[in-house]
Amino acid sequence: MLYIIGLGLADEKDISVKGLEIVKRAERVYLEAYTAILLVEKGQLEAFYGRPVIVATRETVESSSDEILDGADKADVAFLVVGDPFSATTHADLLLRARALSIPTRTLPNASILTAVGATGLSLYTFGQTVSLVFFTPSWRPASFYDRLAENARVGLHSLVLLDIKVREPDLAMLARGKIVYEAPRYMSASVAARQMIEVEEGVGPDDDMGRDAVEGRSEGVCTRGKLAVAVARLGSEGQKVVAGTLEQIASDEVERELGKPLHSLVLVGRRMHEVEMEALMDCAVDKTGWEETWRKEYNG
Amino acid sequence: MLYIIGLGLADEKDISVKGLEIVKRAERVYLEAYTAILLVEKGQLEAFYGRPVIVATRETVESSSDEILDGADKADVAFLVVGDPFSATTHADLLLRARALSIPTRTLPNASILTAVGATGLSLYTFGQTVSLVFFTPSWRPASFYDRLAENARVGLHSLVLLDIKVREPDLAMLARGKIVYEAPRYMSASVAARQMIEVEEGVGPDDDMGRDAVEGRSEGVCTRGKLAVAVARLGSEGQKVVAGTLEQIASDEVERELGKPLHSLVLVGRRMHEVEMEALMDCAVDKTGWEETWRKEYNG
């Protein structure tokens, strides 16, 4: 049996009791470590499980899935996923491959950022579709997320924006010289996300001092500097942080420092934000008066 | 400290390791049992925890919350919630009351139907806002859910429909005679949900043979009999069931029997359903050919 087991969001003790039993008895245990990370190191998981854990890279899962599935028709193999297995879409292939090999599978759900974001006080019933945002480069700035945000905004809904992480990316300069060297991992902060969102709204001029290619702004008013948003860091852990403010405030270096270590996510608030939601976030607002006034003028259900 | 702890979806072993440690050491343990149910009885939880569990009714939580919070400034009190604490909105009051009494609180997320629905093969990124549906009576048939479904449908998104449960409802006839007697618990099946959705679409004539008040249909084409939907039962447990079909098929007695025991939920599929999603559900379709043909004609991204 192939078990795909959600680990939850914070540390080694967020696994379910049922999941832990399977991990302890499985023949091999893999940890998927490229779409999200726990806030603890692999060693801490191994100490807690009392057994070794094999880190599965994107390459292993995508091109050597048969290695993971080897013998899973007879013995149990556990494939651990940070958060909830279904909240990351990338494992459908592994399930399909298992099915093709007649290997039975079972999935153990767990906490996901998609629902843990309720800890902000925002109502989960007021969220529209979830979007994801990748790191921009000077010449590659995919902006289809803006269309999704616009669709949610038209209905008045909140949008959860999931942020890019880059682990084990080959260093292209080194690769050109024939060496495979991996860059240091990078995790997008909520502040960088806010900057990118404003950039898509406003565009980039021809003489950009950051060397970016010029591009026209979308100018539909979805990600203007004054729009309200909520940044979260390390949600579901004891050290979680929530900061509420305008996109411009969240884009600032101060908020980036305050949020601290990864993982971050961002919510672009919808027009339907209820007074109770606004008030629940008051203590987290960069500027309490501004937060409430903007809400009264432009949101307010 | 007041701990609000998610129990996950199926049985006593879906609690996290961290949650179980708190339950074992807390001074009192409450179980909220009126917005959702686990698939096991209270006794099974107590045996697993090795301690008594107090069932918290809606009345206790809403009007005697100070009883639950009593002493929580000094000792630990655990308040257990089926699924994920934030996916049910009703506990915000308890948190606010704790804050007013300066009692520290902590919430432990867990699996929720909002993400476990990914087990159907539908992409969580294609879901719009979640709606809930209450039991209709002959004269009370609140239909605001239809507006939410219409908003999601316009964008082409899936809608997760959460279904009413009624536990500890006083028997009104007995109440009139001065006696408090509770009706047997009722859980809405996905088939009843589909029937109610069709009813709002089509309306009810003046000579209805089920004795319902006449009402005009909304006739916006959101919940017509031929719309595709996915019914789920006991999601997250080993005995989970998924049935895909038209609303009319899901409304049938045969599908109701096939789905079996509670809890059920329903997904109204959006126009953007991808081919991969359609194919993942093929094995669960009441009529495979019809499922695929309808998708090709009316959905197809």
Side-chain angles (χ1 to χ4, degrees), chain B residues 176-206:
Chain B
R177 289 196 269 151
K179 280 194 191 165
I180 298 185
V181 175
Y182 294 103
E183 294 179 356
R186 291 167 67 208
Y187 307 95
M188 190 188 289
S189 71
S191 304
V192 166
R195 285 170 215 153
Q196 292 194 171
M197 287 160 70
I198 293 170
E199 179 183 324
V200 172
E201 179 71 37
E202 299 184 349
V204 173

Side-chain angles (χ1 to χ4, degrees), chain B residues 80 108 111 119 132 145 170 299:
Chain B
L80 310 181
L108 267 63
S132 42
F145 75 90
Y299 290 75

Side-chain angles (χ1 to χ4, degrees), chain B:
Chain B
M1 176 90 88
L2 170 71
Y3 288 95
I4 302 192
I5 301 174
L7 292 186
L9 296 165
D11 61 39
E12 73 279 9
K13 290 187 176 175
D14 287 334
I15 193 170
S16 69
V17 172
K18 197 183 283 167
L20 182 61
E21 286 177 0
I22 295 164
V23 165
K24 283 186 180 286
R25 70 161 193 257
E27 195 170 280
R28 293 191 308 283
V29 178
Y30 293 92
L31 171 67
E32 187 273 87
Y34 56 90
T35 58
I37 52 156
L38 276 188
L39 303 172
V40 296
E41 298 295 324
K42 187 185 92 150
Q44 199 164 328
L45 290 184
E46 290 180 321
F48 183 66
Y49 301 154
R51 58 173 305 159
V53 168
I54 308 158
V55 170
T57 62
R58 190 185 294 273
E59 296 92 313
T60 320
V61 179
E62 287 176 3
S63 49
S64 319
S65 60
D66 285 6
E67 207 176 296
I68 295 172
L69 296 171
D70 185 43
D73 50 338
K74 295 186 199 78
D76 288 339
V77 171
F79 185 81
L80 310 181
V81 177
V82 175
D84 177 69
F86 293 116
S87 302
T89 45
T90 43
H91 309 299
D93 286 346
L94 189 62
L95 284 170
L96 286 175
R97 184 69 193 138
R99 205 185 288 183
L101 296 169
S102 302
I103 292 170
T105 63
R106 187 151 177 232
T107 302
L108 267 63
N110 205 325
S112 160
I113 180 70
L114 271 61
T115 48
V117 71
T120 54
L122 293 170
S123 164
L124 292 178
Y125 289 81
T126 311
F127 277 78
Q129 56 197 321
T130 300
V131 306
S132 42
L133 188 54
V134 298
F135 276 116
F136 286 0
T137 71
S139 57
W140 191 66
R141 304 200 291 273
S144 63
F145 75 90
Y146 190 94
D147 300 308
R148 306 284 90 75
L149 293 178
E151 287 165 351
N152 288 343
R154 245 170 259 139
V155 183
L157 301 173
H158 308 319
S159 301
L160 173 63
V161 185
L162 302 179
L163 310 182
D164 202 4
I165 82 171
K166 292 226 177 291
V167 291
R168 276 177 67 89
E169 295 285 315
D171 181 320
L172 295 179
M174 294 300 277
L175 203 62
R177 289 196 269 151
K179 280 194 191 165
I180 298 185
V181 175
Y182 294 103
E183 294 179 356
R186 291 167 67 208
Y187 307 95
M188 190 188 289
S189 71
S191 304
V192 166
R195 285 170 215 153
Q196 292 194 171
M197 287 160 70
I198 293 170
E199 179 183 324
V200 172
E201 179 71 37
E202 299 184 349
V204 173
D207 298 312
D208 182 57
D209 54 8
M210 289 164 73
R212 299 171 296 186
D213 289 1
V215 65
E216 251 189 274
R218 293 288 299 266
S219 304
E220 295 170 37
V222 175
C223 300
T224 46
R225 290 172 185 266
K227 286 286 171 198
L228 298 184
V230 180
V232 298
R234 300 170 306 283
L235 213 58
S237 78
E238 275 188 84
Q240 70 182 25
K241 275 263 176 207
V242 178
V243 175
T246 61
L247 276 182
E248 184 162 37
Q249 287 165 346
I250 287 170
S252 71
D253 292 339
E254 295 74 49
V255 169
E256 191 164 37
R257 266 194 303 274
E258 188 183 339
L259 287 165
K261 283 192 262 180
L263 293 178
H264 295 189
S265 302
L266 186 71
V267 179
L268 186 66
V269 165
R271 196 181 58 246
R272 279 194 195 154
M273 177 162 58
H274 190 277
E275 184 155 19
V276 174
E277 297 175 273
M278 184 274 289
E279 282 176 353
L281 281 157
M282 192 78 96
D283 283 343
C284 308
V286 174
D287 160 19
K288 289 190 190 13
T289 318
W291 173 256
E292 180 164 359
E293 273 175 11
T294 306
W295 178 79
R296 292 208 181 276
K297 257 187 279 175
E298 299 169 30
Y299 290 75
N300 205 349

Side-chain angles (χ1 to χ4, degrees), chain A residues 207-246:
Chain A
D207 299 314
D208 183 55
D209 54 7
M210 288 164 74
R212 298 172 297 186
D213 289 1
V215 66
E216 251 189 272
R218 294 287 301 265
S219 304
E220 294 171 36
V222 176
C223 300
T224 47
R225 290 171 185 266
K227 286 286 170 201
L228 298 184
V230 180
V232 298
R234 300 172 304 286
L235 214 58
S237 78
E238 276 190 82
Q240 70 182 26
K241 276 262 176 206
V242 178
V243 175
T246 62

